[in-house]
Amino acid sequence: EPLNISVEEAADEGDLPDLGMVPSPVPVEGGGQIKVDIPTTRFLLDDLEKDAAKLADSILYVTGSLSGNLNALTVIAARYSDVHKMAVDEVGKTVDQSIDAMSSLMVGCEQISENMAPVEKLMEQLKAVKDTLTILEEAVDAADQPLP
C-alpha cells in the first residue's frame, strides 16, 4: 500500500534518516542546466539499489544471450569453413584429374600423329597407283576404239 506521506515529512517525523541534500543537474529549455537539491533518503537509495540490481540482472541476461548467440555463430562459421575447405579440396582434385586426362589425351593424339606418317605414305602410293590405273584405263579405251 503506497504511503501518503512526503519524503520530507517522513524525514521530519524521524522515520527516515536525513542523509542531506545532493545537487543534481536538471536540463532546461534552451540547452542549459540548473542544479536542484534532491533529498537523499533511505527510500530513494533503496529504490536506486533495486533499480541497479534489476539493471545488473538485465545486463547479465543480455550478456549471456549474446555469448550464446556468438557461440552458435562460431559453430556455424566453423562448419561452413569446413564445408568450404572440403569443396576447395574436391575442386583441386577434380582439376588435377582433368589435367591428367588432358595430358593423356595429348599423348594419345601425338601417338596417333606419329602413327599417321606411314598412312600418309600409303596414301601417296595409292594416289600413284590410281594415277597409273587412270593412264592404263585411258590406254585400254584408246586401244578399243576403231582406227579411222
Side-chain angles (χ1 to χ4, degrees):
E1 179 175 311
L3 296 175
N4 291 329
I5 186 169
S6 71
V7 174
E8 289 83 13
E9 291 176 84
D12 289 341
E13 291 178 10
D15 292 341
L16 298 173
D18 186 9
L19 301 176
M21 304 295 266
V22 177
S24 175
V26 175
V28 293
E29 287 185 33
Q33 291 183 347
I34 58 170
K35 292 199 178 199
V36 177
D37 289 333
I38 298 177
T40 56
T41 63
R42 191 179 72 203
F43 287 137
L44 289 175
L45 293 177
D46 285 345
D47 287 346
L48 182 60
E49 186 176 342
K50 288 177 186 174
D51 289 344
K54 286 180 184 176
L55 182 60
D57 288 342
S58 295
I59 289 171
L60 284 175
Y61 173 78
V62 169
T63 304
S65 178
L66 284 174
S67 176
N69 288 337
L70 286 175
N71 286 336
L73 289 175
T74 301
V75 168
I76 290 170
R79 286 182 187 162
Y80 280 117
S81 178
D82 290 343
V83 168
H84 184 264
K85 181 185 178 299
M86 289 178 356
V88 168
D89 289 345
E90 286 301 315
V91 167
K93 288 177 187 176
T94 303
V95 168
D96 288 343
Q97 290 172 350
S98 295
I99 289 171
D100 290 343
M102 182 60 73
S103 296
S104 297
L105 178 65
M106 291 174 67
V107 167
C109 288
E110 287 176 10
Q111 289 174 348
I112 289 173
S113 272
E114 290 171 4
N115 292 336
M116 289 299 288
V119 173
E120 289 175 4
K121 288 180 184 175
L122 284 174
M123 187 176 75
E124 289 175 13
Q125 289 174 356
L126 284 173
K127 186 176 178 185
V129 168
K130 181 181 172 189
D131 290 342
T132 304
L133 286 174
T134 303
I135 292 171
L136 278 172
E137 187 179 346
E138 288 174 359
V140 168
D141 285 343
D144 284 338
Q145 289 182 0
L147 294 171

